Amino acid sequence: MTALDTVPGGGLRYAVQDTLVLAGRALRHTTRQPELLVFSTVQPVLFVLLFRYVFGGAINTGPISYVNYLMAGIFVQTTAFASTSTGVGLAEDLSKGIVDRLRSLPISRSAVLAGRTLGDLVRMVGVVLIMAVVGVAVGLRPSSTLGLLGAIALTALFGFAFSWISAWIGLMVKDVETANVAGFVWLFPLTFASSAFVPLQSMPGWLQAFAKATPVTPTCDAVRAMLNDGLPLQRPLLISLSWILGVLVVFSYLSVRSYRKVA
Amino acid sequence: MSDAVVVEELVKTFGKTKALDGVSFSLPEGTVLGLLGPNGAGKTTTVRVLATLLAPDSGRASVLGLDAVKQAEQVRRVIGLAGQYAAVDEKLTGMENLRLVGRLYHLPKAEVLSRADALLERFELTQAANRVVKTYSGGMRRRLDLAASLVNRPKVLFLDEPTTGLDPRSRLALWEVIEDLVRDGTTLLLTTQYLEEADRLADRIAVVDGGRVIAEGTSDELKDKVGGSVLVARPSSPDDADTVASVLAALKTGEVKRLATGELAVPATGIALVAKAARALTTAGLEVSELGLRRPTLDDVFLTLTGHLAESSDVEDETP
């Protein structure tokens, strides 16, 4: 049996259908867990307000306004944080026996993981849309609508890739509380030590080196360049997409492998 | 009658723990087999193999002639599984849970809806259908879990400790539901730690201990292994236990056993013994609140077969 095996006679159509049904389930969870919605929107909104009005005046962002600088980082950090719920949800399904129930049904093996990450992708697009509205309310002025849509798309893709990391963590730790902490703790330094909120030039050299080596900085730079005409786009976009692809390949492989092991 | 479930020499090791050490049994179509044993005996592991959730290290398991490992997909179409932990989604409503399962069985849309409604009705959950499962009681969750396992009208049903952790009233209600299912002809493999449960629901009982079946038969056959009927007396006051015991010993039918329930038992020869015991107790001026003949319980059977009580093992029947 391979990770992508499908139902005999049902084929790809059922694999897609099962994935969509389970994505729908994951989305419904979002509406049933107000605390999760609150967490994934109120916290970034607070960050927007704090950074915009507390630090904003002290940070020199050159030719563009600080709000226009900041929102790229907020988009990326928000989706990175939101991706942690993928692993938490999987750990919950594992510990409660729901994965067992699903596996006793004649569904495609990949549907459980794909359904959840797909559902989480839709949720992340929603969260980024809310952040875009908040951004506009506090003064974000994207250069073009197309640029804004591109920024939202890249951010969502970035979050989708990170939700596979989260899925892997959830399957490894198998415990809801641990998945919550383990999925979250490393994202703090990763997202703050980047070009998300302040230009790298203000950081010490060693930190700049670290920040440049993570997927967060090029993604923030690319999102920022889409929001603001005149910033270099091509290079950070290529680096960001390579990261996203690499993370997707590596962590979907690892996740499917641990899923088959635990299940 | 052909066998719906056949298990042959299953072995499964987790690290250093041998969860299954050659389990074998078979289950004819339309009958109920109770796998009875303490925690850690291998009951859950056996069910997980049959439900295609776990591949055994060696041995063979088949359902309706389909191999649980090689033909897992086909097996999943004909079985229903209700687990130990009530695997329903707490964040969805009862209705949504059943519809979700129906969709994942690829039932036609109209049937997904009608089947969910019918099962909610049957398990008396219609009123709670649109409530999130988080608000359900333990008994309601188990009923919903059982309903979910019936969505595809399975020919073979696996119930893994269906009433563990339920209060006596919910347990009784669930038993009635299960008895209904069996009357409809469902083949059922039931695991339980409760002797009373196996006694009531199962046609045949396989006693499992240490990853093996150590005895198999009908409830009566197993009870016969332990011996015939016993005379049981319950002293009105626990302080009288010793004197009552000496009166019963004087009947000279055999050794007096003190049961965990507070009762005293001696081997019984016939109904006349009851009258004899009553006279002897009256003469001694002793009061008993109960006196009578009884067949040995499955508790007695288990104790005799395994040398330990059914609920006394502290090893978890857990799979990693």
Side-chain angles (χ1 to χ4, degrees):
Chain A
M1 261 172 291
T2 69
L4 292 171
D5 67 349
T6 52
V7 184
L12 192 61
R13 190 170 73 88
Y14 281 147
V16 172
Q17 188 186 319
D18 295 341
T19 303
L20 292 178
V21 168
L22 289 170
R25 167 185 176 248
L27 273 177
R28 196 159 282 174
H29 277 189
T30 305
T31 62
R32 299 282 156 80
Q33 283 173 293
E35 73 277 6
L36 192 67
L37 268 183
V38 166
F39 175 76
S40 40
T41 52
V42 165
Q43 182 261 344
V45 169
L46 277 176
F47 272 32
V48 170
L49 298 177
L50 285 174
F51 277 88
R52 163 78 173 82
Y53 294 106
V54 179
F55 302 117
I59 299 167
N60 177 11
T61 49
I64 61 172
S65 72
Y66 183 63
V67 183
N68 273 31
Y69 183 94
L70 169 72
M71 287 316 294
I74 290 286
F75 281 10
V76 172
Q77 191 191 48
T78 305
T79 49
F81 284 4
S83 73
T84 58
S85 66
T86 303
V88 174
L90 271 175
E92 198 172 355
D93 282 353
L94 270 178
S95 60
K96 296 225 166 116
I98 289 174
V99 168
D100 275 354
R101 152 125 306 141
L102 294 175
R103 287 184 63 244
S104 77
L105 303 176
I107 62 173
S108 105
R109 284 283 161 107
S110 54
V112 175
L113 291 179
R116 177 161 292 276
T117 49
L118 188 66
D120 288 338
L121 173 65
V122 175
R123 182 172 51 87
M124 279 189 275
V125 170
V127 172
V128 178
L129 279 173
I130 294 171
M131 295 322 296
V133 171
V134 173
V136 169
V138 296
L140 169 70
R141 297 293 174 262
S143 303
S144 66
T145 311
L146 191 67
L148 179 63
L149 293 178
I152 291 171
L154 181 63
T155 319
L157 209 57
F158 173 82
F160 181 67
F162 267 53
S163 67
W164 281 96
I165 303 180
S166 172
W168 178 68
I169 293 172
L171 292 167
M172 293 297 283
V173 302
K174 300 185 195 88
D175 167 82
V176 179
E177 282 76 31
T178 318
N180 212 342
V181 176
F184 200 66
V185 71
W186 59 282
L187 287 173
F188 255 101
L190 192 74
T191 52
F192 276 101
S194 75
S195 64
F197 304 111
V198 294
L200 293 187
Q201 295 86 301
S202 61
M203 298 178 190
W206 59 270
L207 193 58
Q208 286 191 33
F210 171 79
K212 279 179 190 161
T214 73
V216 179
T217 295
T219 307
C220 286
D221 290 349
V223 170
R224 189 169 292 128
M226 287 194 240
L227 293 174
N228 302 280
D229 286 349
L231 296 179
L233 173 63
Q234 198 180 9
R235 197 179 127 80
L237 182 61
L238 279 178
I239 299 175
S240 168
L241 287 174
S242 313
W243 266 109
I244 289 169
L245 191 68
V247 166
L248 274 176
V249 168
V250 171
F251 284 92
S252 62
Y253 169 77
L254 289 175
S255 300
V256 168
R257 208 183 57 166
S258 351
Y259 177 72
R260 288 168 62 192
K261 222 179 279 174
V262 292
Chain B
M1 211 164 28
S2 62
D3 285 331
V5 175
V6 179
V7 169
E8 284 166 20
E9 292 294 322
L10 282 188
V11 174
K12 180 73 191 179
T13 312
F14 298 113
K16 284 176 187 158
T17 319
K18 208 159 203 181
L20 300 181
D21 190 13
V23 169
S24 301
F25 59 81
S26 61
L27 173 54
E29 255 174 64
T31 66
V32 182
L33 178 72
L35 284 186
L36 174 68
N39 276 330
K43 307 184 300 290
T44 297
T45 308
T46 307
V47 169
R48 288 176 63 87
V49 169
L50 280 166
T52 77
L53 300 180
L54 193 69
D57 297 339
S58 66
R60 217 175 65 84
S62 68
V63 179
L64 300 177
L66 300 163
D67 189 282
V69 176
K70 296 191 197 95
Q71 292 163 294
E73 295 286 353
Q74 285 108 300
V75 169
R76 289 183 196 131
R77 288 162 192 281
V78 296
I79 62 164
L81 170 69
Q84 205 173 141
Y85 301 106
V88 285
D89 190 331
E90 310 198 302
K91 291 175 201 125
L92 300 183
T93 66
M95 175 89 79
E96 287 166 345
N97 263 289
L98 296 183
R99 288 183 179 176
L100 175 74
V101 173
R103 282 197 198 100
L104 293 174
Y105 272 115
H106 312 125
L107 300 180
K109 208 166 208 167
E111 207 187 328
V112 168
L113 304 185
S114 63
R115 194 76 186 126
D117 287 341
L119 285 166
L120 288 166
E121 174 96 45
R122 173 168 191 179
F123 291 94
E124 291 170 21
L125 291 167
T126 306
Q127 289 216 317
N130 294 314
R131 261 165 56 196
V132 177
V133 172
K134 206 178 254 180
T135 65
Y136 282 24
S137 69
M140 290 165 78
R141 278 175 200 228
R142 296 295 175 101
R143 294 209 301 277
L144 183 65
D145 189 42
L146 192 54
S149 70
L150 297 173
V151 167
N152 64 327
R153 303 174 198 275
K155 295 195 177 74
V156 180
L157 187 61
F158 300 118
L159 297 183
D160 187 19
E161 304 203 5
T163 66
T164 298
L166 288 187
D167 60 79
R169 209 173 50 126
S170 312
R171 174 172 301 159
L172 211 62
L174 203 62
W175 281 352
E176 281 165 14
V177 168
I178 295 171
E179 281 169 339
D180 273 350
L181 287 176
V182 172
R183 222 167 288 136
D184 296 348
T186 308
T187 306
L188 171 62
L189 179 67
L190 167 91
T191 79
T192 182
Q193 317 182 36
Y194 302 116
L195 308 153
E196 196 190 351
E197 187 163 279
D199 207 2
R200 171 155 178 177
L201 298 176
D203 301 313
R204 294 179 66 78
I205 297 168
V207 182
V208 186
D209 194 45
R212 305 179 59 87
V213 174
I214 55 169
E216 200 192 328
T218 64
S219 166
D220 283 339
E221 284 165 4
L222 290 175
K223 285 172 183 171
D224 282 340
K225 287 201 177 192
V226 182
S229 301
V230 286
L231 173 96
V232 180
R234 182 190 293 278
S236 300
S237 150
D239 301 336
D240 291 342
D242 287 339
T243 39
V244 172
S246 60
V247 169
L248 295 180
L251 298 170
K252 295 198 188 323
T253 62
E255 194 192 337
V256 181
K257 277 192 191 157
R258 288 162 191 261
L259 306 180
T261 52
E263 296 160 316
L264 299 163
V266 285
T269 43
I271 187 75
L273 189 70
V274 180
K276 213 173 148 190
R279 269 197 308 276
L281 288 167
T282 317
T283 311
L286 289 165
E287 286 289 331
V288 291
S289 53
E290 281 172 50
L291 182 69
L293 288 186
R294 195 173 74 193
R295 302 264 298 143
T297 64
L298 278 168
D299 266 312
D300 304 326
V301 175
F302 204 86
L303 197 57
T304 309
L305 288 171
T306 66
H308 56 84
L309 280 171
E311 280 105 335
S312 68
S313 170
D314 51 5
V315 191
E316 285 290 307
D317 193 13
E318 263 299 317
T319 49

